[in-house]
């Protein structure tokens, strides 16, 4: 369990109170596919599947926004 806690500590910035506009968004990219998206760098954030559920839970508890639409800027 301490290994999982160490991994979770690396993602603690994801469940801080959202800024305006929010940097971190939970993106519902498809059925059953929730992705953490970094709007500042315009990229998905890799979160290992073993901790993704807990990361999403903590982000939701902190009030992170969620979107069914692509939350980033156009590429190119």
């Amino acid at each position: 369990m301490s290994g999982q806690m160490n991994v979770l500590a690396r993602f603690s910035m994801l469940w801080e109170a959202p800024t305006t506009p929010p940097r971190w968004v939970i993106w519902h990219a498809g059925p059953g596919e929730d992705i953490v998206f970094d709007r500042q760098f315009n990229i998905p954030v890799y979160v290992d599947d073993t901790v993704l559920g807990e990361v999403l839970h903590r982000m939701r508890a902190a009030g992170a926004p969620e979107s069914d639409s692509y939350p980033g800027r156009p590429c190119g």
Side-chain angles (χ1 to χ4, degrees):
M1 185 63 157
S2 65
Q4 183 177 2
M5 294 307 292
N6 291 339
V7 172
L8 287 171
R10 290 194 343 238
F11 296 109
S12 64
M13 75 282 203
L14 298 175
W15 52 83
E16 293 175 355
T19 58
T20 304
R23 176 175 178 178
W24 313 104
V25 177
I26 299 171
W27 174 29
H28 307 291
E33 187 177 8
D34 290 342
I35 298 173
V36 177
F37 194 88
D38 182 342
R39 295 180 71 223
Q40 179 177 339
F41 290 111
N42 204 40
I43 58 172
V45 176
Y46 174 75
V47 179
D48 190 271
D49 288 341
T50 60
V51 295
L52 180 61
E54 183 63 23
V55 168
L56 294 173
H57 170 76
R58 292 179 185 206
M59 288 179 71
R60 288 179 175 120
E66 302 191 38
S67 176
D68 291 331
S69 302
Y70 176 71
R73 299 178 305 278
C75 297

